[in-house]
Amino acid sequence: MKEGYFPQEIEKRWQETWEREDTFNTPNESNKPKYFALSMFPYPSGKLHMGHVRNYTITDVIARFKKMQGYNVLHPMGWDSFGLPAENAAMKHGANPEVWTDENIAYMTKQLKMLGLSYDWKREVTTCKPDYYKWTQWLFLQLYKKGLAYKKEAAVNWCEKCGTVLANEQVIDGKCWRCDSVVEKKYLSQWFFKITDYAERLLEDLNKLDGWGDNVKTMQANWIGKSQGAIIRFKVKEIEGLEVPVYTTRPDTVHGITYLVVAPEYKDIEKLTTPENKQAVEEYRANARKMSEIERLSTERVKTGVPLGTHCINPYTGEEFPLWTADYALVEYGTGAVMAVPTHDTRDFDFAKKYNLPMKVVIQNPENPSDCKDSAYTEEGILINSGEFNGMKNTEAKKAITQKAVDKGFGEFKTQYRLRDWLVSRQRYWGAPIPIVYCDKCGIVPEKEENLPVLLPKDVDFSVVGKSPITTSPTFAETTCPICGGKARREMDTMDTFVCSSWYYMRYADPKNSEKCFDKNLVDKWLPVDQYVGGIEHAILHLLYSRFITKAMKDMGCLSFDEPFKNLLTQGMVLKDGSKMSKSKGNTVDPDEIFENYGADTARLFILSDSPPARDFDWSDAGVEGCYKFLNRVWKLVSENFENITKDYKIEFPLSRENDDLVRLVHIAIKGITNDIAQDFQFNTVISKYRELTNAIYNWVNKKTEFSQEDKNVFSFAVISLIKLMSPVTVHLSEEIWHELGNTTSIHDEKWCEFDENLAKASKITLVIQINGKVKDKIEADEGSDNESLKTLALNNNKIKELTANKEVVKVIVVPKKLVNIVIKG
RNA sequence: GCUCCAGUGGCGGAAUCGGUAGACGCGUUGGACUUAAAAUCCAAUCGGGGUUCACCCUCGGUGCCAGUUCAAGUCUGGCCUGGAGCACCA
């Protein structure tokens, strides 16, 4: 065995061997239980960054650990390869996005292989290839058939810089998620997926996801934004037959309504405006239109509004109150109209104060009554000034008051969601074309399934500005109507890349299928994903869309599960000097450089070592250095004592004291490492345990001048256990040592180390003696001692005797095999 | 404003059930090896105080204030700080 550790040489050799021997092939047929370990697939942006390295290393270690534990592990990789950057790069360099994408995939594949990841590359999926997007288009058609894909004209988010519309989920603080420029509202006809039909199931089924963090689940719950309340219809006094319905979560406050607000875009607003008020209302509405979304939604802004001149009648009291328009009412939410109760709603209160509108208290806390002169009372209480409902608790009144509306026919119970339908069309080239045809005779017609895929045209001009390059194709638009066979035009929009990524994980189960999107049996066999690993930035976007698509596909009979990801690990960011690595800050670390200088095993070890996976990880050069030193130490441990290691060791008891100790430490390490991985993937403590075991073996070796036969056996056991325990992380180093020891099969096909609970036990324990909960002494005791003898031992301890002299012992608490606490008085 | 997460040495972080706070590493300091350096190895490393000063003793210490308990980093209540998400959502 070579004296020095040369990772680059070792790693290259083993990567080639694994590929040649197809070591990470995953058969569909196996008598082992299945395990699906999945990383969020990358966008082929050009080069791997450290976030990728962290993500894929975590999943790889999980996959390898599960494989050694006897699972048939599916661990695939693919490319989320449609999207705007490719198109932008194409425009800039005059190339085709496909060429740019292919080059990036080739380079990043090389990098992934250098990291030593155990992918079954035969299952690779690439969303921009026709054999994949054919099925994305097929999925669109199925959703269309089910009424879950539809086209409507609506106010949508438009990013001028990207030249396309965006889904609600892609607008972050009023800005485009990709280019950070301010998003405008435009009124356009667009394709939507009806995710709102699944709002309740998407919310309800969050409860099933025990393997997801609360943070992600609450983010999704917030996004879905369920609220329960009532619709109440108010008659307009001045106009016979016209009603204004409002949605409210506070029907208990209806007797306190003093005005009503409609959004500036409210559909009946012109009818509701009297001639005297027309000019002011028109001006107000024009002003609201001009304002940006951000300005308008700012909670900081002082509320403004104008009266319409008409009035509504409160069906509960017969009272009249004025109608106003104000931009704090949102046309997209509820009915676009709000009943205002200034006494019990802070927004209404602010507004009423400003415009001197009347207030009426209807809910009170009997213990601490408020007149609502200075602020709204929004807590629970008892109803007053509410006729027949007086004295009722407001929580109960909600139901009773709504029930009255139902009985009298002017309202109903209503559940409201904040979630909007998913806007999926994009005015861009580099995406899956929407398989829809427009025919003058037949209208909107879905393309026939047998005509899929609708291929992206190649004869396009990428240098155009202000419109989608796809529209420059002289051939693409022209087609025939699938129904009447007459001349027709193709849909020019492509699909949001999130449609492609909402089902890719299913395709891994059956990646080459050219007849179907996948075989139902195979997808049911491999899914749901047992462990999904990726960034928190997808908490809503990708994870919500995927859950929706899974449920929709289940309803179509394509598969039998309704949640795609059983367990989700959201890994933290990779930081450098306390802030996120980014090109603009210039604090990036190039993985290639780390591979070159230290090797992939060091990179893998380090990226797992310093923080638990869910937390942010601070990259430090010293830390890399430290990991590299550790691997050198392990290498040296083996190479310097090579003649004393035999792969066919045999441990025979009884052993000498120090050999017994070493065997015990190995068993403790196996137990600890196995638990740390199995419980929460606590790789940072796993690695500290590698180090502890290595230190222990060194301490043992340093005391040896020569090795007896027993020593050789024990030492071999320790060293071989260590490299096996390390093999999911330091994949090349472990494989190299394994073969140096004369093995001919891969260490990655070995079974995981097993521990013996009895051998992990020490014969002596450290007994902690406390007085009144404070540690006073620590003594050795036999492992098997019962509580009574531990108590005696503690009370007879000289130091304790001294401290308890002349004191009354009130109580003695014994924690088995650990601690004795003596409670004294005086 | 609402929701979720976190807060432990100089730093990253350990600590099954409430039971020895600070594992392991980084850094720092001292030492060995060397002509010297690098590399490597060994040792020390929470703070205050005491002392018969390489030993040992003692007090304090896990964001803050209370509480429960024989015992609290861990449980309960109330705050403070940081991060994330949602937000004129009626």
Side-chain angles (χ1 to χ4, degrees):
Chain A
M1 186 167 170
K2 274 187 191 156
E3 220 174 272
Y5 170 52
F6 302 108
Q8 295 79 1
E9 182 268 320
I10 294 172
E11 291 179 358
K12 187 155 182 275
R13 183 151 41 76
W14 284 113
Q15 285 157 12
E16 285 165 4
T17 308
W18 294 330
E19 191 156 355
R20 194 173 56 240
E21 297 183 354
D22 205 6
T23 308
F24 304 116
N25 166 55
T26 308
N28 282 329
E29 294 306 323
S30 165
N31 50 12
K32 296 175 184 171
K34 71 96 181 178
Y35 191 91
F36 189 174
L38 181 67
S39 297
M40 287 183 188
F41 69 161
Y43 179 78
S45 54
K47 266 185 151 191
L48 290 188
H49 54 68
M50 279 302 167
H52 291 128
V53 172
R54 190 175 191 200
N55 189 165
Y56 308 147
T57 302
I58 290 168
T59 317
D60 192 51
V61 175
I62 294 170
R64 289 167 182 272
F65 173 70
K66 287 290 174 182
K67 189 180 176 194
M68 290 179 90
Q69 280 202 322
Y71 289 88
N72 185 29
V73 173
L74 175 58
H75 183 216
M77 185 37 88
W79 307 96
D80 185 13
S81 50
F82 270 138
L84 207 46
E87 206 169 320
N88 290 340
M91 286 172 167
K92 210 165 155 191
H93 303 119
N96 190 293
E98 191 177 1
V99 174
W100 184 85
T101 304
D102 285 347
E103 281 171 7
N104 288 348
I105 289 176
Y107 190 82
M108 290 169 81
T109 302
K110 201 179 108 203
Q111 287 185 303
L112 291 175
K113 288 183 177 170
M114 282 176 81
L115 240 187
L117 300 164
S118 60
Y119 296 130
D120 182 356
W121 282 105
K122 291 191 299 305
R123 291 176 182 264
E124 182 177 6
V125 303
T126 307
T127 60
C128 68
K129 298 292 169 195
D131 69 341
Y132 182 89
Y133 74 70
K134 173 179 179 178
W135 302 110
T136 307
Q137 292 174 338
W138 176 87
L139 176 64
F140 184 96
L141 292 180
Q142 307 315 304
L143 293 168
Y144 182 81
K145 274 189 210 161
K146 284 265 170 186
L148 291 171
Y150 67 97
K151 198 176 192 192
K152 76 167 176 192
E153 198 159 299
V156 296
N157 306 301
W158 172 265
C159 174
E160 185 60 40
K161 193 169 172 199
C162 295
T164 185
V165 296
L166 299 168
N168 279 331
E169 289 79 6
Q170 292 164 339
V171 181
I172 315 287
D173 293 329
K175 291 175 187 166
C176 172
W177 69 300
R178 213 194 269 288
C179 72
D180 219 30
S181 51
V182 173
V183 168
E184 308 162 39
K185 283 278 177 205
K186 268 198 178 178
Y187 217 70
L188 294 170
S189 183
Q190 295 291 315
W191 285 96
F192 290 86
F193 283 170
K194 217 167 181 188
I195 192 171
T196 52
D197 270 12
Y198 286 79
E200 186 58 37
R201 274 167 71 188
L202 287 167
L203 180 68
E204 192 52 40
D205 289 353
L206 288 172
N207 295 324
K208 292 186 190 167
L209 298 174
D210 297 330
W212 287 38
D214 282 340
N215 52 344
V216 179
K217 286 193 278 188
T218 40
M219 274 163 76
Q220 291 211 356
N222 284 344
W223 188 261
I224 296 166
K226 180 180 180 174
S227 72
Q228 274 167 316
I231 297 275
I232 298 171
R233 287 182 289 275
F234 294 89
K235 287 202 166 83
V236 180
K237 182 186 147 199
E238 288 82 358
I239 306 163
E240 182 66 29
L242 187 64
E243 285 181 332
V244 179
V246 304
Y247 171 73
T248 180
T249 54
R250 293 298 305 273
D252 51 320
T253 63
V254 285
H255 296 83
I257 300 172
T258 53
Y259 64 102
L260 200 147
V261 177
V262 299
E265 303 86 356
Y266 189 72
K267 62 178 177 6
D268 291 331
I269 192 163
E270 285 172 21
K271 286 188 218 163
L272 292 167
T273 309
T274 58
E276 306 82 76
N277 292 285
K278 197 172 175 204
Q279 197 189 340
V281 171
E282 281 307 316
E283 273 171 24
Y284 186 78
R285 293 179 67 200
N287 211 4
R289 257 197 307 277
K290 267 196 299 196
M291 235 181 291
S292 78
E293 195 73 354
I294 301 172
E295 274 176 306
R296 175 136 176 219
L297 293 181
S298 162
T299 48
E300 245 82 305
R301 209 161 61 83
V302 178
K303 291 174 187 34
T304 58
V306 289
L308 302 179
T310 50
H311 297 79
C312 275
I313 299 158
N314 188 333
Y316 289 89
T317 61
E319 289 168 340
E320 284 174 21
F321 49 80
L323 272 157
W324 284 63
T325 183
D327 59 11
Y328 80 89
L330 306 173
V331 73
E332 323 87 90
Y333 188 76
T335 63
V338 191
M339 61 179 226
V341 185
T343 45
H344 305 296
D345 181 284
T346 48
R347 289 155 307 176
D348 299 344
F349 182 90
D350 293 345
F351 193 81
K353 272 272 167 194
K354 180 166 179 195
Y355 293 106
N356 244 326
L357 292 156
M359 300 194 190
K360 182 179 164 194
V361 178
V362 291
I363 289 174
Q364 215 160 45
N365 176 0
E367 263 127 64
N368 182 20
S370 158
D371 58 8
C372 302
K373 287 263 150 57
D374 301 318
S375 65
Y377 178 73
T378 55
E379 309 290 303
E380 292 187 357
I382 304 292
L383 268 67
I384 58 167
N385 298 326
S386 300
E388 64 197 275
F389 302 100
N390 279 343
M392 212 182 254
K393 273 167 97 174
N394 77 310
T395 43
E396 287 158 21
K398 282 186 182 181
K399 235 190 231 165
I401 288 176
T402 310
Q403 190 57 50
K404 182 173 173 180
V406 174
D407 295 343
K408 302 265 178 183
F410 58 79
E412 59 254 347
F413 289 94
K414 170 82 178 168
T415 303
Q416 185 76 35
Y417 300 91
R418 227 181 42 96
L419 182 70
R420 305 292 151 76
D421 278 339
W422 173 14
L423 201 174
V424 295
S425 43
R426 296 290 179 272
Q427 291 69 51
R428 303 304 322 173
Y429 169 81
W430 193 232
I434 292 174
I436 290 288
V437 167
Y438 299 100
C439 171
D440 287 338
K441 242 166 79 190
C442 310
I444 296 177
V445 184
E447 183 55 270
K448 285 184 192 161
E449 284 181 25
E450 60 263 36
N451 290 342
L452 298 183
V454 175
L455 289 169
L456 276 171
K458 307 238 175 192
D459 52 355
V460 297
D461 176 7
F462 289 105
S463 63
V464 291
V465 186
K467 59 177 178 175
S468 167
I470 205 168
T471 58
T472 65
S473 165
T475 55
F476 183 72
E478 214 170 291
T479 187
T480 51
C481 171
I483 294 177
C484 70
K487 260 192 165 183
R489 284 159 292 113
R490 283 203 185 282
E491 169 64 65
M492 291 288 186
D493 284 357
T494 54
M495 276 183 257
D496 182 6
T497 56
F498 280 93
V499 179
C500 304
S501 62
S502 64
W503 74 281
Y504 78 100
Y505 46 91
M506 302 172 184
R507 182 74 177 172
Y508 285 133
D510 193 11
K512 300 273 192 296
N513 199 326
S514 56
E515 305 296 311
K516 289 185 263 182
C517 57
F518 44 72
D519 180 82
K520 184 168 191 265
N521 290 328
L522 283 173
V523 88
D524 281 344
K525 181 196 173 83
W526 282 111
L527 278 88
V529 172
D530 292 277
Q531 185 64 55
Y532 201 20
V533 183
I536 187 77
E537 67 274 17
H538 289 292
I540 292 170
L541 287 157
H542 164 61
L543 291 168
L544 189 66
Y545 295 148
S546 296
R547 293 182 62 223
F548 158 61
I549 291 295
T550 299
K551 287 173 195 300
M553 287 182 105
K554 188 194 178 198
D555 291 350
M556 293 171 198
C558 301
L559 43 83
S560 310
F561 48 93
D562 57 10
E563 282 293 338
F565 314 121
K566 220 197 247 166
N567 295 292
L568 173 71
L569 175 64
T570 47
Q571 106 249 5
M573 285 186 299
V574 181
L575 312 176
K576 179 88 195 289
D577 312 317
S579 57
K580 192 180 174 175
M581 279 192 191
S582 72
K583 278 181 202 146
S584 56
K585 284 196 197 98
N587 62 346
T588 55
V589 177
D590 185 354
D592 283 344
E593 267 174 46
I594 304 297
F595 298 158
E596 204 175 299
N597 295 335
Y598 303 98
D601 282 345
T602 296
R604 295 170 59 108
L605 184 74
F606 177 54
I607 204 100
L608 298 174
S609 67
D610 266 8
S611 300
R615 270 204 238 175
D616 287 349
F617 176 90
D618 209 338
W619 183 276
S620 74
D621 297 336
V624 185
E625 204 61 60
C627 285
Y628 186 62
K629 276 185 203 169
F630 171 66
L631 293 186
N632 273 288
R633 227 164 101 80
V634 173
W635 183 270
K636 242 177 63 185
L637 178 66
V638 179
S639 65
E640 283 180 359
N641 300 284
F642 193 64
E643 69 282 5
N644 292 316
I645 307 174
T646 162
K647 71 184 169 78
D648 306 308
Y649 61 84
K650 205 169 167 194
I651 309 275
E652 275 168 25
F653 293 94
L655 298 168
S656 69
R657 177 71 194 263
E658 68 269 18
N659 286 349
D660 201 66
D661 283 344
L662 185 61
V663 169
R664 195 178 67 251
L665 289 173
V666 174
H667 281 276
I668 289 172
I670 298 171
K671 184 181 172 181
I673 290 167
T674 309
N675 289 345
D676 284 355
I677 302 178
Q679 275 167 21
D680 282 311
F681 306 122
Q682 275 197 56
F683 298 119
N684 54 330
T685 56
V686 167
I687 286 157
S688 74
K689 279 163 187 151
Y690 293 161
R691 297 184 125 122
E692 277 177 53
L693 182 57
T694 306
N695 290 346
I697 300 173
Y698 261 108
N699 284 338
W700 181 93
V701 169
N702 288 344
K703 287 185 198 129
K704 292 277 167 226
T705 43
E706 56 184 328
F707 284 69
S708 69
Q709 193 50 49
E710 181 187 300
D711 292 343
K712 285 184 183 177
N713 281 325
V714 167
F715 181 66
S716 302
F717 166 65
V719 169
I720 290 169
S721 298
L722 175 67
I723 63 151
K724 254 195 212 178
L725 290 169
M726 287 176 66
S727 70
V729 180
T730 56
V731 296
H732 312 90
L733 175 108
S734 288
E735 183 81 305
E736 176 73 8
I737 294 175
W738 181 249
H739 281 81
E740 285 287 347
L741 295 176
N743 292 291
T744 50
T745 53
S746 173
I747 195 169
H748 304 299
D749 290 328
E750 283 297 299
K751 266 182 71 185
W752 185 246
C753 301
E754 287 186 17
F755 65 90
D756 183 328
E757 192 72 54
N758 286 320
L759 293 178
K761 263 186 212 160
S763 56
K764 295 279 181 188
I765 54 158
T766 305
L767 182 70
V768 175
I769 309 176
Q770 297 182 328
I771 291 180
N772 291 347
K774 296 212 188 293
V775 179
K776 294 296 169 186
D777 206 1
K778 296 171 194 177
I779 57 171
E780 281 221 325
D782 287 328
E783 199 273 336
S785 311
D786 59 16
N787 287 358
E788 203 48 43
S789 47
L790 290 179
K791 182 176 168 180
T792 316
L793 212 57
L795 289 170
N796 288 333
N797 177 281
N798 281 338
K799 198 169 158 194
I800 299 303
K801 270 186 175 166
E802 220 173 276
L803 289 162
T804 54
N806 306 322
K807 307 269 167 68
E808 186 196 342
V809 176
V810 184
K811 208 177 188 182
V812 180
I813 285 131
V814 183
V815 180
K817 296 176 204 275
K818 243 183 196 162
L819 170 147
V820 175
N821 187 15
I822 300 160
V823 186
I824 59 167
K825 230 162 81 179

